[in-house]
Amino acid sequence: MSTIELIEKGHCSLGIELGSTRVKAILIDLEGHTLATGIYDWENSFLDGIWTYKEDEIKTSLKACFKNLKQDVFNKYKVSLKKLASLGISGMMHGYIALDKDKNIIAPFYTWRNTNTQESADYLTNLFNFNIPLRWSCAHVYQRILEKDSHLNKLDYVCTLSAYIHYLLTDEKVLGVGDASGMFPINDTTHDYDSDMKAKFDNLLKEKGYNFTLDSIFPKVLVAGERAGTLTKSGALLLDESGELECGIPLCPPEGDAGTGMVATNAVAPRTGNISAGTSIFAMIVLEHSLSKLHREIDMVMTPDGYPCAMSHANNGTTDLNALVHIFKEFTQILNIDISDNKLYESLYNISLSGDKDCGGILPYNYYSGENITMINEGRPILLRSVNSNFNLANLMRSYLYTSLAAVALGLDILFIEEKVKLDKITGHGGLFKTKVVGQTYMSAALKAPVAVMETASEGGAYGIAVLALFLHRVKEYKDLASFLNELIFKHVKETTISASKDDIQGFEVFKERYKKALDVQKTAISCINW
């Protein structure tokens, strides 16, 4: 069957991921090959002290992304996309979306970037003896309760971004286990919210005078391969305003960007891992067994098919690095030099390789928001250097690339050094790896381990959720998700592996020690910089 026939007959799967700076849709065939893409850029706002997206922005971006996908399909194949075998939605994990019974958002959407839940997260961590990070949904719920927010009287549903979009498309209040594990702790065996912790949480709600329970306001948990509803007529119109997209399409469980990153890098089995490097940077290590003790720097979450996974999640990734590159973009425009963004990034990244291994004493902090790994709850981007620093372009670029990795490396030190976690393979994906060699080398130096990048790495989580949608369509043919990925999706995918030199590793270690030593400067900046 030709590609045109596949599209016309609806033998394709679609994944849409709403990331921090980009909404991306990927259409794949029944073998997992990418046929078309749609992209729509967006950006969060910092309003009244909250990192957020407005309700109309969410819906508009979804429509625009799908429209761009349809246009790409038509441009390539001269057919209109009307039918699908399956569909999946992914989004940024964590956060807080509160809805009333009519699906209206009744409070600001708190994204993962918000760290204003310290009191709640501390209390729940002590209550559960389980790390509850500041960005988790249950921490946001209890913080709203502590602050006696008036919208709680109308509260009908609390969910993440992927679950919200899925609800609009299907009328189903469900969520994949990976994303759900960033809302509330999940039991490894039942693949549902932990019953003991849930009982303690419900008692808290009752003590505070609320008659809802966690089960009544949180989505039902599903694992990869389970059917999560079908596209309704209103849902089809939300995606495709032209009315051409047919309803009735089955959907896989909506998932978070961490889980879709695992799928996109074939890292869902124990002793595998992946690192997603973009606006935030997080490393996911699939465990053979639970950790020995609670670590506030480490999230315990799940793969999309329910394996326990340790996450080192840094809120701040490449945002400040991108801001620096934009300065050079302005400079090229002043000089009337025509250079593409891709070429500019490639040139600046590559020049960093000629810098000093320790960045010549230059130390930036990329804290646009608070950073949970270093226990700092607000962000102030700053750049430090001594009078003896070797301040040149190569070192400046290298330092901004290093600092993008520093916080996540601190979290991984806990896993590899304190917990003796074993890892056979770790794979990188995301914007940091688009320029060959550079990001991979620095990540390898940070981890003191080889880092692989697949030829499909740039596809990211949108590809991962498309693959999960395809798994729903073909689930009966395979033993489990790992088998499906190994035997079909990644059977012929090529990858490159890079191991950092001893000098690169030592240079990053020097930088990391300076990073830890100067954290008090970052804390002081929060109190001093208020403009």
Side-chain angles (χ1 to χ4, degrees):
M1 192 178 297
S2 69
T3 300
I4 292 175
E5 289 177 306
L6 285 174
I7 296 171
E8 288 181 327
K9 295 180 181 297
H11 296 318
C12 303
S13 294
L14 174 63
I16 303 176
E17 179 161 280
L18 293 89
S20 301
T21 60
R22 174 171 289 182
V23 182
K24 186 174 183 180
I26 291 185
L27 185 72
I28 62 175
D29 64 17
L30 297 183
E31 305 297 317
H33 303 116
T34 298
L35 303 179
T37 60
I39 293 173
Y40 181 80
D41 291 329
W42 70 341
E43 185 57 79
N44 57 187
S45 303
F46 191 58
L47 302 174
D48 299 323
I50 298 170
W51 292 102
T52 189
Y53 301 83
K54 295 180 181 179
E55 183 174 359
D56 60 344
E57 289 179 310
I58 297 172
K59 294 178 180 178
T60 297
S61 67
L62 188 67
K63 296 174 191 288
C65 179
F66 187 82
K67 183 178 180 180
N68 292 339
L69 172 76
K70 280 191 68 177
Q71 187 62 52
D72 193 44
V73 170
F74 185 80
N75 291 344
K76 289 178 176 176
Y77 309 107
K78 300 299 183 281
V79 294
S80 185
L81 183 62
K82 299 179 181 180
K83 301 178 180 180
L84 291 167
S86 54
L87 171 64
I89 299 295
S90 174
M92 297 169 279
M93 283 184 72
H94 318 295
Y96 180 77
I97 295 180
L99 305 174
D100 64 16
K101 59 182 178 59
D102 297 317
K103 298 184 182 178
N104 298 311
I105 295 180
I106 55 176
F109 166 28
Y110 288 80
T111 72
W112 55 270
R113 231 175 184 167
N114 291 281
T115 53
N116 55 347
T117 58
Q118 188 74 59
E119 181 182 2
S120 171
D122 287 348
Y123 185 86
L124 293 178
T125 295
N126 291 330
L127 180 68
F128 298 155
N129 192 31
F130 187 97
N131 183 36
I132 302 297
L134 304 181
R135 63 190 177 278
W136 277 31
S137 304
C138 60
H140 281 286
V141 172
Y142 192 53
Q143 192 67 40
R144 304 288 78 76
I145 288 173
L146 292 175
E147 296 174 7
K148 300 179 181 179
D149 199 310
S150 60
H151 80 270
L152 294 171
N153 296 321
K154 299 183 290 182
L155 185 64
D156 181 70
Y157 187 37
V158 172
C159 59
T160 62
L161 182 57
S162 73
Y164 169 62
I165 298 297
H166 187 93
Y167 183 36
L168 295 180
L169 297 181
T170 66
D171 289 330
E172 297 288 344
K173 296 179 178 179
V174 299
L175 186 58
V177 65
D179 206 354
S181 66
M183 292 189 73
F184 194 87
I186 299 289
N187 182 283
D188 295 1
T189 303
T190 65
H191 297 156
D192 200 355
Y193 304 120
D194 185 277
S195 58
D196 291 338
M197 298 182 201
K198 185 168 60 175
K200 292 178 180 179
F201 192 77
D202 286 345
N203 285 334
L204 277 182
L205 298 176
K206 187 175 181 180
E207 290 173 4
K208 296 295 183 180
Y210 293 95
N211 57 12
F212 53 77
T213 64
L214 185 135
D215 278 337
S216 71
I217 61 171
F218 271 30
K220 179 183 177 182
V221 182
L222 301 175
V223 297
E226 290 190 280
R227 191 163 172 143
T230 56
L231 186 66
T232 63
K233 186 175 181 180
S234 62
L237 287 172
L238 176 62
L239 277 178
D240 186 7
E241 291 180 304
S242 73
E244 288 189 325
L245 184 64
E246 297 181 6
C247 59
I249 299 166
L251 273 81
C252 69
E255 265 298 350
D257 50 359
T260 56
M262 291 180 191
V263 173
T265 54
N266 194 17
V268 299
R271 293 175 70 109
T272 64
N274 82 95
I275 295 181
S276 174
T279 305
S280 66
I281 294 189
F282 50 86
M284 315 286 295
I285 311 298
V286 187
L287 303 178
E288 297 176 282
H289 50 75
S290 299
L291 301 181
S292 65
K293 62 181 180 179
L294 182 154
H295 299 278
R296 289 303 299 268
E297 302 89 345
I298 302 296
D299 297 15
M300 285 303 302
V301 292
M302 291 276 163
T303 68
D305 54 343
Y307 280 101
C309 184
M311 174 195 281
S312 174
H313 184 289
N315 282 356
N316 300 283
T318 58
T319 298
D320 212 29
L321 174 61
N322 294 337
L324 177 63
V325 173
H326 184 71
I327 293 294
F328 290 104
K329 181 70 173 181
E330 289 186 46
F331 184 62
T332 63
Q333 291 169 344
I334 291 171
L335 298 179
N336 292 318
I337 297 172
D338 186 16
I339 183 171
S340 69
D341 288 347
N342 286 341
K343 181 63 176 178
L344 182 61
Y345 270 93
E346 182 181 331
S347 300
L348 290 171
Y349 277 34
N350 281 325
I351 194 65
S352 73
L353 292 171
S354 65
D356 297 323
K357 301 298 185 182
D358 66 347
C359 305
I362 301 171
L363 175 61
Y365 285 97
N366 60 339
Y367 287 21
Y368 267 67
S369 63
E371 187 53 73
N372 63 289
I373 291 178
T374 53
M375 304 299 174
I376 293 176
N377 292 340
E378 292 185 44
R380 301 290 190 278
I382 55 177
L383 174 61
L384 306 176
R385 63 189 179 98
S386 72
V387 294
N388 296 317
S389 296
N390 187 10
F391 191 56
N392 59 36
L393 178 58
N395 283 335
L396 183 66
M397 286 305 305
R398 192 173 185 121
S399 71
Y400 271 79
L401 285 156
Y402 271 23
T403 202
S404 299
L405 308 175
V408 76
L410 294 178
L412 289 173
D413 282 348
I414 294 171
L415 294 178
F416 297 145
I417 298 173
E418 293 186 36
E419 291 286 348
K420 311 297 182 186
V421 168
K422 301 300 181 184
L423 186 66
D424 294 331
K425 177 183 178 183
I426 192 157
T427 307
H429 69 110
L432 188 71
F433 301 105
K434 286 183 179 180
T435 299
K436 293 181 179 180
V437 178
V438 182
Q440 233 176 315
T441 299
Y442 297 159
M443 188 71 79
S444 177
L447 302 185
K448 306 182 189 70
V451 174
V453 172
M454 295 179 176
E455 61 183 3
T456 57
S458 62
E459 302 287 14
Y463 181 71
I465 191 62
V467 168
L468 285 172
L470 179 59
F471 182 56
L472 171 68
H473 184 65
R474 304 192 61 172
V475 64
K476 294 181 180 179
E477 303 173 46
Y478 296 90
K479 177 184 176 182
D480 52 25
L481 179 60
S483 300
F484 168 73
L485 296 178
N486 287 322
E487 295 170 20
L488 180 67
I489 302 300
F490 296 106
K491 186 176 181 180
H492 301 295
V493 173
K494 297 178 181 179
E495 65 180 29
T496 59
T497 301
I498 288 179
S499 296
S501 68
K502 290 182 179 179
D503 287 344
D504 283 324
I505 292 172
Q506 181 59 37
F508 190 88
E509 282 298 300
V510 172
F511 178 89
K512 188 171 65 175
E513 289 304 312
R514 290 172 180 159
Y515 181 97
K516 290 191 291 185
K517 185 177 181 180
L519 279 170
D520 283 343
V521 179
Q522 176 65 216
K523 296 173 184 176
T524 301
I526 293 170
S527 62
C528 295
I529 301 175
N530 296 306
W531 60 86

